Amino acid sequence: MARHKIAVLPGDGVGKEVIEAAKIVLDEIALDAEYIYGDIGWEFWCKEANPLPERTIEMLKKADCCLFGAITSKPKQESEKELMPELQGKGHSYYSPIVGLRQFFNLYANIRPAKAYPGNPLNYRDDIDIVIFRENTEGLYSGVEFHPLPEEIKSALLKHHIKMKKFQDVPADKIALSCRIFTVEGCKRIIRKAFDYAIKMNRPSVTVVEKPNVLRETSGLMVREARKIQKDEYPDIELWEANIDAMCMWLVKNPQNYSVLVSSNMFGDIVSDLCGQLVGGLGFAAGANISDEYAVFEPVHGSAPKYTGQYKVNPIATLHAVRLMLEWLGENEKAENLEEAIALNIKEGKVKTYDLGGISKTLEVAEDIAKKYKKI
Ligand code: IPM
Ligand code: MN
């Protein structure tokens, strides 16, 4: 029996292409693993009205972890139109299957490294090395949304504060509401993950990125918990606090000053795209979605429909996802060697995709990295 069982979900569009690239490298690495492939994404929304079929969830449960490609998401009305005719008008509504996976498996930490590798012409600076810890199951992406607004929610709003009177005469279908839900436990576990990482990797500081001056109860809760946890459990690591808006400016001004960031779901989503762009953009950004038992690894980029079938996109983001997966599986030497092979490919700057000004195809870059891995 193989040592690891890995579920692979290529998904849509270029997801399939980058997973093919990942497989080239995994084969070279000779990871002692069994790979099982599953269905996810747009095709299954159109055919089955479910982009994350039950059988896929069952399959994932049988694996140690999952490697995920990319999926296409479209807004509500557009998605309904693409359902097979017999499925239309039955009240099915599209939801993002990656968000679904994060919720289902309680993958509460989304860890997104943003490191500048020497020689990457897209680096904003060469001394950036930030890791973002994004809370992944709560906050504004909890999935609690209303439109039209039910009467009981409206009356709760009206009772909440005199200022809410301005909504009194707004018809139910002319108002929408999304809830930003934070729990103490949810805040604590992501904050501890960030601090544990800082300790393990010898990082000097953790910056909590929120907006407690306005979002007093949710961001306020996160910051208060961060202060307590730092004081009681991690006195040797500094805690810095920054507001999300100002942080976007600081990250453009002095990204080299930051090390580990921790934030809630939506702010973490935003700030991790910003950090990703500082070190080369979507071709380089990967993330690990983890719980205490399970993990899903993914490139941050989407399915890029306009490039589908062209084998054009940069596979490095997915190869970083593979590297994070190897670390999580305890295959540390393989992970380090893969990082070195990726770094060598970037430094050499010969075999590179269009985003780096090159003409190489997705699989050619993967082959080059596999070849470099072999030589290490
Ligand atoms: C990401 C993506 C997803 C998110 C989308 C596709 C739902 O933007 O992984 O950052 O917002 O989490
Ligand atoms: Mn995002």
Side-chain angles (χ1 to χ4, degrees):
M1 217 173 82
R3 182 146 166 228
H4 311 292
K5 191 164 186 168
I6 298 174
V8 184
L9 302 178
D12 303 313
V14 302
K16 295 195 168 69
E17 299 166 27
V18 291
I19 290 292
E20 227 181 294
K23 198 61 187 20
I24 291 176
V25 171
L26 281 164
D27 287 345
E28 181 60 55
I29 286 176
L31 186 67
D32 184 7
E34 178 194 348
Y35 300 94
I36 45 177
Y37 284 73
D39 299 335
I40 196 166
W42 198 250
E43 189 186 332
F44 305 95
W45 162 251
C46 299
K47 287 202 292 214
E48 304 174 24
N50 186 0
L52 177 57
E54 201 49 45
R55 60 181 179 281
T56 302
I57 299 269
E58 289 310 311
M59 187 203 93
L60 289 172
K61 284 188 199 159
K62 291 189 200 116
D64 301 325
C65 65
C66 166
L67 181 63
F68 174 86
I71 35 108
T72 300
S73 286
K74 297 186 189 176
K76 198 171 162 182
Q77 270 96 17
E78 270 175 64
S79 350
E80 268 170 44
K81 276 194 224 135
E82 293 195 31
L83 277 176
M84 305 253 290
E86 59 270 31
L87 293 170
Q88 290 193 11
K90 297 211 167 124
H92 296 297
S93 65
Y94 184 82
Y95 65 97
S96 162
I98 182 67
V99 175
L101 278 181
R102 292 169 184 165
Q103 303 275 2
F104 185 87
F105 286 100
N106 197 18
L107 305 170
Y108 65 87
N110 192 331
I111 305 168
R112 298 184 155 177
K115 178 169 168 181
Y117 288 89
N120 184 344
L122 301 175
N123 284 345
Y124 183 69
R125 294 177 55 115
D126 286 338
D127 51 1
I128 299 170
D129 190 0
I130 298 172
V131 181
I132 298 113
F133 284 74
R134 164 186 173 189
E135 201 293 322
N136 216 21
T137 50
E138 303 191 336
L140 260 176
Y141 299 179
S142 296
V144 183
E145 302 198 288
F146 303 96
H147 183 246
L149 197 64
E151 201 38 57
E152 63 271 24
I153 305 282
K154 188 172 187 184
S155 67
L157 279 183
L158 294 175
K159 267 194 234 137
H160 169 67
H161 198 279
I162 183 91
K163 282 188 289 191
M164 296 295 111
K165 259 191 119 172
K166 64 184 172 205
F167 300 126
Q168 190 162 14
D169 299 323
V170 181
D173 65 335
K174 299 279 188 262
I175 180 168
L177 179 75
S178 303
C179 295
R180 191 172 199 252
I181 305 177
F182 281 38
T183 63
V184 170
E185 250 339 283
C187 292
K188 279 184 169 168
R189 61 188 185 179
I190 190 70
I191 292 163
R192 287 201 176 106
K193 265 265 170 317
F195 275 103
D196 284 343
Y197 178 87
I199 296 254
K200 186 170 156 220
M201 305 307 285
N202 241 327
R203 301 271 187 149
S205 66
V206 170
T207 307
V208 57
V209 186
E210 279 300 320
K211 185 80 183 174
N213 52 343
V214 179
L215 302 169
R216 292 167 187 277
E217 301 312 335
T218 48
S219 289
L221 185 75
M222 177 80 117
V223 173
R224 288 191 293 272
E225 290 306 325
R227 286 181 190 165
K228 272 191 266 176
I229 288 176
Q230 186 271 342
K231 187 165 163 279
D232 297 343
E233 300 170 35
Y234 305 93
D236 296 339
I237 308 282
E238 279 185 44
L239 172 68
W240 299 352
E241 297 173 16
N243 286 336
I244 176 67
D245 49 349
M247 188 65 188
C248 291
M249 293 211 292
W250 289 119
L251 280 168
V252 172
K253 193 164 185 235
N254 292 320
Q256 72 285 2
N257 289 355
Y258 295 93
S259 180
V260 178
L261 311 185
V262 62
S263 192
S264 54
N265 211 335
M266 189 196 197
F267 292 165
D269 189 15
I270 294 170
V271 90
S272 60
D273 270 19
L274 196 161
C275 292
Q277 191 56 46
L278 296 176
V279 297
L282 290 175
F284 295 86
N289 302 273
I290 67 171
S291 72
D292 298 329
E293 295 86 34
Y294 201 72
V296 175
F297 302 88
E298 54 168 341
V300 172
H301 62 69
S303 65
K306 70 174 182 191
Y307 294 140
T308 303
Q310 296 181 38
Y311 285 90
K312 190 175 164 160
V313 302
N314 193 340
I316 289 181
T318 308
L319 300 181
H320 276 310
V322 169
R323 169 177 66 82
L324 294 169
M325 179 174 83
L326 293 170
E327 272 170 26
W328 190 81
L329 289 169
E331 299 279 1
N332 295 331
E333 197 186 325
K334 287 181 164 34
E336 274 165 32
N337 291 349
L338 176 55
E339 182 172 24
E340 201 179 321
I342 296 172
L344 264 171
N345 163 277
I346 294 171
K347 196 168 177 186
E348 206 176 82
K350 283 190 190 140
V351 184
K352 56 187 178 189
T353 43
Y354 79 98
D355 52 325
L356 292 163
I359 51 159
S360 306
K361 297 285 188 178
T362 307
L363 304 186
E364 286 167 351
V365 174
E367 275 152 15
D368 185 61
I369 291 172
K371 209 167 74 196
K372 292 185 161 50
Y373 181 95
K374 198 176 176 182
K375 282 200 199 137
I376 291 170

